Amino acid sequence: MSTITDGIRVLTVAGEIDHDTAQPLRQALDISRLGSPPRVVIDMRQVTFMDSAGINLLVTARRATSGQHGWLRLAGAPESVMRTLRIVELDTIIDCHPTLRDALQP
């Protein structure tokens, strides 16, 4: 699901982000659909699992948004998903916020 809040695209993701399920999120993160500059928050509260396909997708999206002078933030990732993000140190290049409200702050 995609909504816009204060000019920020909020993508709500549920379930697993893996090779078999990543395509809808990949399409939603298409830089041509995000506005200029692209400002995106991925609401991950309902994500139950993420593998390397999800990690690669987030890295690509982060590069694309920052290349257009925008940003990508993650919100509410469950501890099991945050653990994955920490292991690969993705949390050092993408801002991870505990809540959607925090991620939407300027």
Side-chain angles (χ1 to χ4, degrees):
M1 180 169 81
S2 175
T3 60
I4 296 178
T5 302
D6 296 328
I8 301 168
R9 172 86 49 190
V10 177
L11 303 174
T12 302
V13 182
E16 298 181 355
I17 304 173
D18 60 22
H19 177 74
D20 295 328
T21 64
Q23 189 58 30
L25 181 56
R26 185 176 289 109
Q27 290 173 343
L29 288 167
D30 180 345
I31 199 74
S32 66
R33 300 177 181 199
L34 296 177
S36 184
R39 298 181 303 157
V40 181
V41 173
I42 301 177
D43 181 352
M44 300 184 73
R45 290 177 290 180
Q46 299 176 55
V47 174
T48 57
F49 173 80
M50 185 172 59
D51 70 3
S52 61
I55 292 165
N56 289 330
L57 184 140
L58 293 177
V59 168
T60 299
R62 195 269 183 193
R63 284 184 187 148
T65 55
S66 64
Q68 295 293 317
H69 307 290
W71 46 257
L72 173 69
R73 297 175 182 168
L74 305 179
E79 185 54 38
S80 60
V81 174
M82 276 306 302
R83 183 173 184 271
T84 300
L85 297 172
R86 285 186 201 108
I87 288 170
V88 299
E89 297 183 354
L90 197 58
D91 63 324
T92 65
I93 63 167
I94 298 176
D95 290 335
C96 298
H97 298 269
T99 69
L100 180 58
R101 180 181 296 229
D102 291 337
L104 291 170
Q105 297 300 313

